[in-house]
Amino acid sequence: MIVVMNPRSSREQVDHVVRLLEGMGVNSHVIEGASQAVVELLKLDGEFDRRRLEKAPMVDKVLDNPVPILAANRSAGDGAQRPREIPLGPRAVIGGKKLGIIAGPCSVESESGLLETAAAVADAGAVALRGGAFKPRTSPYSCQGHEERGLEMLARAREETGLPIVTEVMCCKHVDCVQPYADVLQVGSRNMHATPLLKAVGEQEKPVLLKRGWSATLEEFLLAAEYIMHAGNRNVILCERGIRTHEEYVRNTLALAVVPEVKRVSNLPIIVDPSHGTGKAHLVTPMCNAAVACGADGLLVEVHTAPDRAWSDGAQALDPDQFRSLIKGLKPFADACQREL
Ligand code: PEP
Ligand code: MN
């Protein structure tokens, strides 16, 4: 159970609620939310006078089994009904009228291949370049990425194309290395539950792209975003990348219903990754169309100059021509949703 205080409540009024609860034999814990404090009841056995609590000064409401989405709540901050706009470097944003399309290879491989891909996706209309230098691979025998050398190649591609770069950070130890190169730090599906990493990316100022854990519920996904925001960084972009189900014809099941649901409960922008969400190149374009149609703020798409020779995830990568056609074909869907490309 939680007690939600009025955004205008003072520290004394919050303390008053804590003391009131103590008097009823209930321990509690104060959470300082983005716009208001919340008092969480820690142990509730036996009787307690709920009405007295509801009537205490500056108590907005007492909720029974709530998910404390405080920082990312739809009504937090300025109460705007639009998603928060998150900068992707100095020129682009995610969460505005223009769709934020992020594209690039799964792994950073050669510098020439990366530059060619970056130029192609920039030309087609992508607003940022993605590419992994630290790769979370399922097998320890698969290539683990070029690490810092890969980050240097990404920085080079940014210099050539002007595209901000989105790249993954896998553990706290790597934050100091990845942070200066990246415009946006990606926390991958495998690490969505890694709370020390969520806190570490929350303590630095670059925006964070948080991918949904493949077994995470929406509630767990939003609470992972809360970890980052609670640590101080309000610039979080959510990314639906599919969940693991009994289904085998796709790599993951792309759960698009979270897009409108996130928009109902939260003010964070959400983008969709149909590459990992399906694992199959021929399904990427239709699912991008569907993602835009249901209100996604952007897309994350894997693009490779020669998908059949990619070091990782070639089966789900589009080549530059396919990517260009994808962007052209999105227009009617974007128009229908009053979005720009
Ligand atoms: C990726 O974006 O390359 C990646 C590893 O994604 P995920 O964390 O969603 O598996
Ligand atoms: Mn990948």
Side-chain angles (χ1 to χ4, degrees):
M1 185 173 279
I2 64 170
V3 180
V4 181
M5 301 299 297
N6 186 285
R8 283 176 288 113
S9 60
S10 64
R11 184 70 226 185
E12 288 69 38
Q13 284 158 331
V14 177
D15 288 345
H16 173 72
V17 168
V18 170
R19 280 197 307 276
L20 201 62
L21 285 163
E22 262 166 31
M24 298 177 194
V26 181
N27 283 330
S28 64
H29 157 70
V30 177
I31 309 164
E32 294 294 348
S35 58
Q36 71 228 100
V38 166
V39 184
E40 183 185 13
L41 279 61
L42 292 178
K43 193 157 173 286
L44 239 191
D45 36 33
E47 292 291 297
F48 100 102
D49 189 347
R50 182 179 178 138
R51 276 184 56 76
R52 238 178 103 205
L53 200 56
E54 283 167 340
K55 286 209 183 121
M58 285 293 174
V59 165
D60 262 1
K61 51 197 167 207
V62 178
L63 300 174
D64 280 304
N65 189 18
V67 185
I69 304 297
L70 302 177
N73 197 288
R74 195 90 191 124
S75 59
D78 59 4
Q81 288 307 299
R82 292 168 286 104
R84 189 190 294 276
E85 290 191 9
I86 313 283
L88 294 181
R91 282 183 296 277
V93 295
I94 289 229
K97 201 164 160 59
K98 184 175 162 70
L99 288 169
I101 299 176
I102 303 169
C106 177
S107 304
V108 174
E109 300 174 12
S110 69
E111 184 166 302
S112 58
L114 182 67
L115 294 179
E116 193 181 331
T117 310
V121 300
D123 182 56
V127 302
L129 175 68
R130 60 145 290 145
F134 289 88
K135 289 303 300 176
R137 305 302 302 281
T138 302
S139 164
Y141 309 116
S142 304
C143 167
Q144 308 289 306
H146 281 314
E147 305 191 339
E148 192 155 8
R149 204 153 58 82
L151 297 171
E152 284 162 9
M153 294 186 210
L154 284 164
R156 182 81 211 287
R158 172 176 49 210
E159 246 169 63
E160 298 250 322
T161 59
L163 290 180
I165 60 181
V166 180
T167 195
E168 179 158 356
V169 57
M170 291 199 301
C171 62
C172 300
K173 210 170 70 183
H174 295 164
V175 173
D176 287 347
C177 171
V178 176
Q179 204 266 2
Y181 291 97
D183 294 287
V184 178
L185 297 175
Q186 175 174 324
V187 173
S189 186
R190 291 160 183 79
N191 279 317
M192 190 214 82
H193 293 285
T195 53
L197 179 61
L198 300 176
K199 288 179 190 170
V201 296
E203 282 163 5
Q204 58 78 53
E205 74 283 357
K206 298 256 173 91
V208 178
L209 177 74
L210 176 66
K211 298 189 95 178
R212 180 183 185 178
W214 60 58
S215 63
T217 62
L218 174 56
E219 188 177 309
E220 290 162 345
F221 188 21
L222 288 169
L223 287 172
E226 289 288 318
Y227 259 101
I228 300 170
M229 298 174 88
H230 190 64
N233 187 346
R234 327 255 310 141
N235 288 335
V236 180
I237 301 157
L238 301 173
C239 179
E240 166 59 43
R241 49 78 72 206
I243 51 173
R244 192 166 271 182
T245 67
H246 61 278
E247 193 51 85
E248 288 178 338
Y249 80 100
V250 278
R251 180 177 178 187
N252 290 287
T253 298
L254 191 62
L256 284 182
V258 301
V259 172
E261 189 60 14
V262 160
K263 296 197 164 289
R264 192 176 70 83
V265 298
S266 147
N267 61 12
L268 293 178
I270 178 163
I271 68 170
V272 173
D273 168 2
S275 305
H276 295 87
T278 64
K280 294 192 171 168
H282 70 275
L283 297 177
V284 169
T285 295
M287 297 319 284
C288 284
N289 294 340
V292 170
C294 72
D297 296 296
L299 300 166
L300 186 74
V301 181
E302 286 189 343
V303 177
H304 194 284
T305 48
D308 52 347
R309 279 186 274 127
W311 289 1
S312 56
D313 289 352
Q316 67 195 33
L318 301 186
D319 67 28
D321 284 341
Q322 291 169 323
F323 181 67
R324 222 166 279 121
S325 310
L326 155 68
I327 303 279
K328 277 206 188 104
L330 277 175
K331 176 117 177 50
F333 298 93
D335 287 348
C337 297
Q338 290 89 48
R339 305 300 284 251
E340 287 163 8
L341 278 166

